[in-house]
Amino acid sequence: MRYRPLSSRLYSKNRELFMQAMRSGGLAIFNSNDIYPISADSTLPFAQHRDIFYLCGINQEESILLLFPNSPKPEHREILFIKKTNELIAVWEGQKLTKNQASALSGIQTILWLDEFEALFEALAKVAKVFYFNTNEHFRAKVETQTREDRFIRWAKAKFPSHPNEKSNFILQKLRSVKDDEEIHQIKNAINITEKGFRRILPFVKPGIWEFEIEAELAHEFLKNRSDGFAYNPIIASGKNCNVLHYVDNNKQCQSGDLILIDVGAAYGNYASDMTRTIPVSGKFTPRQREVYEAVLRVEKNAMQLLVPGILLKEYHQEVGQIMTNELIGLGLLNQTMVKNQDPEKPAYKKYFMHGTSHHLGLDTHDYGLVDQPLHANMVLTVEPGIYIPEEGFGIRIEDDVVTQEHGLPINLTENIPKEPDEIEQLMKQA
Ligand code: GLY
Ligand code: MN
Ligand code: MN
């Protein structure tokens, strides 16, 4: 395995917590993702659905997990179905999981081949009172394709039309938002790789370099360190591209005097890191760039301190908006009149800072978390304010990943990744 897996204890605990939250007589089903086609016989690389991974640590396509806590037969409380391998698969694709390996990874005792799924599911469904289906309810999700899970749900509903169903997602959003220490450790592993990548590019960046060359250096460092690759499409945005929030073309030549906004994170063992740093192409910030940089940095440091248990993300975003407003006034970008006359629904600062400051981070980059519930300890969140000034030809964002604590301030998991402007300039000098 490229990554070091988390313990089966964690997966057993995750399933136990999930089952405790189910209604009596519930039968929950979780499917792997499809391997998505491109065209002809080409496919995208397999990426496991994070929910089934969270519940059993199995990173193999076509796996199905069933949880049936009130099963009359104890061996049917937890069942994992995996694809049965054969000589042809072994020759073309290599090793697939054996039953013993799947059991050791997941902590599940009952491992069956996939071809036994249908008959056993139908037998269990007949004694189950309610299905728990795993629909995608993430508040940002916009999915146009039918997933393997969707196909299964359609099939199960047609087969058992009188079964009521519940949403697994409510339970998972709650559970996955609070991280176990092992998960925090795995996120930290991903962050450490991101740090190596960032330190690699600091002395490498020079005027004339192309954005994709920076991306290539990062990919090299990530893969060399056992990363799964980029946790999300990296943004390497120089000059005016800094102001395109989701710029992923990464195909411009970097010019002296410009800034480069680098929003990149390595994934490790399916856990994401998410970092943004903004650096000068020439190795030195102009006075104005530094002035804006320091303003963003102050907002970031102040915002981080607000992430304590009990706070609602809505209140937090309002407070950060206030801090940002003061900084924008200091930079001469807003004035008191603009602020006094602002529409509270669309505050003036949004002109220069138009996105949120924080999101949950974990198995997904924009991870699960019930956004209208107060924060708890052990939640991992990003802190990522930015100021984007198209009329001055640059934008700056700084993004760290923190974990909330039961008492006191959060711990910054990305604290070793340079972000002080002097340190960045110093490291860029070392050719
Ligand atoms: N890189 C995605 C984000 O910062 O949310
Ligand atoms: Mn990011
Ligand atoms: Mn982020």
Side-chain angles (χ1 to χ4, degrees):
M1 242 186 214
R2 188 184 291 194
Y3 62 91
R4 178 189 266 239
L6 301 183
S7 72
S8 62
R9 172 210 68 86
L10 174 76
Y11 299 116
S12 297
K13 183 190 92 172
N14 291 348
R15 290 191 299 277
E16 204 48 53
L17 291 174
F18 186 92
M19 289 192 283
Q20 280 169 17
M22 289 170 76
R23 277 170 47 193
S24 159
L27 171 62
I29 311 97
F30 304 91
N31 279 272
S32 288
N33 271 333
D34 278 318
I35 296 179
Y36 289 97
I38 300 176
S39 58
D41 65 348
S42 312
T43 59
L44 294 172
F46 175 64
Q48 182 58 297
H49 194 292
R50 299 316 198 230
D51 290 330
I52 189 170
F53 187 79
Y54 177 77
L55 292 167
C56 65
I58 296 294
N59 216 6
Q60 184 166 286
E61 71 281 2
E62 296 180 42
S63 310
I64 305 178
L65 172 67
L66 290 191
L67 298 179
F68 191 26
N70 307 118
S71 165
K73 293 189 180 167
E75 68 270 28
H76 290 160
R77 261 187 110 229
E78 305 180 332
I79 312 171
L80 178 66
F81 295 87
I82 56 171
K83 176 173 162 166
K84 187 178 188 174
T85 194
N86 58 39
E87 273 178 34
L88 192 71
I89 295 176
V91 169
W92 287 84
E93 298 176 31
Q95 288 283 314
K96 297 286 167 190
L97 292 172
T98 64
K99 287 186 178 180
N100 282 343
Q101 286 169 333
S103 183
L105 281 167
S106 63
I108 295 173
Q109 301 306 317
T110 308
I111 312 281
L112 302 175
W113 297 126
L114 193 57
D115 54 15
E116 295 167 82
F117 173 76
E118 226 173 281
L120 185 53
F121 173 74
E122 288 184 21
L124 299 181
K126 286 175 188 158
V127 287
K129 292 199 184 113
V130 51
F131 290 145
Y132 276 76
F133 287 143
N134 195 25
T135 44
N136 184 349
E137 313 267 336
H138 190 278
F139 76 107
R140 293 196 202 204
K142 240 177 42 205
V143 184
E144 290 189 17
T145 52
Q146 190 183 46
T147 63
R148 197 173 185 82
E149 197 74 72
D150 297 332
R151 286 202 305 283
F152 166 75
I153 293 170
R154 207 164 70 165
W155 174 82
K157 279 186 173 170
K159 195 107 197 154
F160 296 95
S162 60
H163 273 59
N165 51 79
E166 289 270 355
K167 300 203 274 194
S168 293
N169 188 260
F170 271 141
I171 306 175
L172 287 164
Q173 291 262 4
K174 192 157 174 251
L175 292 181
R176 277 184 48 187
S177 65
V178 178
K179 271 60 179 181
D180 185 273
D181 287 348
E182 281 197 45
E183 293 186 280
I184 294 169
H185 187 73
Q186 204 75 322
I187 294 171
K188 184 73 187 158
N189 286 333
I191 287 171
N192 290 344
I193 299 173
T194 302
E195 179 187 345
K196 286 188 177 156
F198 184 62
R199 287 186 182 275
R200 175 178 176 128
I201 58 148
L202 281 173
F204 174 80
V205 166
K206 297 279 174 287
I209 201 159
W210 292 77
E211 292 164 353
F212 51 73
E213 291 183 80
I214 300 172
E215 181 177 343
E217 290 297 306
L218 290 161
H220 185 153
E221 195 65 28
F222 287 7
L223 296 180
K224 201 172 86 168
N225 285 284
R226 296 178 169 265
S227 162
D228 318 336
F230 294 115
Y232 50 89
N233 290 332
I235 298 170
I236 320 284
S238 65
K240 62 183 173 35
N241 294 337
C242 296
N243 295 313
V244 181
L245 296 178
H246 289 160
Y247 174 81
V248 288
D249 294 344
N250 303 347
N251 60 6
K252 185 174 171 287
Q253 199 171 20
C254 304
Q255 310 295 331
S256 182
D258 282 349
L259 295 180
I260 318 174
L261 185 156
I262 299 169
D263 184 346
V264 69
Y268 180 81
N270 280 343
Y271 281 83
S273 59
D274 187 3
M275 172 211 78
T276 307
R277 294 292 185 260
T278 308
I279 63 173
V281 174
S282 66
K284 196 154 173 51
F285 293 96
T286 66
R288 176 60 172 169
Q289 288 167 350
R290 187 181 263 259
E291 189 185 18
V292 179
Y293 190 98
E294 283 172 350
V296 177
L297 193 54
R298 279 192 295 274
V299 177
E300 206 240 1
K301 289 177 180 173
N302 286 321
M304 205 178 276
Q305 314 225 338
L306 300 172
L307 290 172
V308 293
I311 194 163
L312 287 167
L313 280 178
K314 190 163 173 243
E315 296 163 1
Y316 163 76
H317 277 115
Q318 277 165 354
E319 286 201 47
V320 176
Q322 192 54 53
I323 299 168
M324 180 59 94
T325 300
N326 292 337
E327 291 292 352
L328 291 170
I329 292 172
L331 292 169
L333 294 167
L334 295 183
N335 61 42
Q336 297 292 357
T337 316
M338 291 156 104
V339 175
K340 209 168 88 210
N341 296 333
Q342 73 187 4
D343 172 358
E345 293 301 310
K346 200 171 171 292
Y349 77 81
K350 292 265 181 196
K351 178 173 178 205
Y352 297 102
F353 174 39
M354 54 298 274
H355 56 78
T357 310
S358 291
H359 58 80
H360 288 267
L361 176 74
L363 283 166
D364 285 291
T365 302
H366 293 163
D367 208 35
Y368 284 1
L370 297 169
V371 285
D372 52 358
Q373 303 281 315
L375 294 188
H376 285 264
N378 291 338
M379 288 181 162
V380 177
L381 294 132
T382 65
V383 185
E384 49 181 306
I387 295 179
Y388 309 93
I389 326 176
E391 54 274 28
E392 297 187 33
F394 69 89
I396 293 170
R397 176 164 70 251
I398 302 170
E399 176 174 25
D400 281 314
D401 306 334
V402 305
V403 55
T404 54
Q405 302 297 298
E406 195 167 345
H407 302 289
L409 300 177
I411 291 177
N412 182 2
L413 298 170
T414 36
E415 71 181 349
N416 294 334
I417 306 185
K419 69 176 173 183
E420 295 299 327
D422 287 343
E423 190 183 2
I424 285 175
E425 288 183 352
Q426 189 57 37
L427 290 167
M428 289 187 79
K429 265 196 223 148
Q430 296 166 4

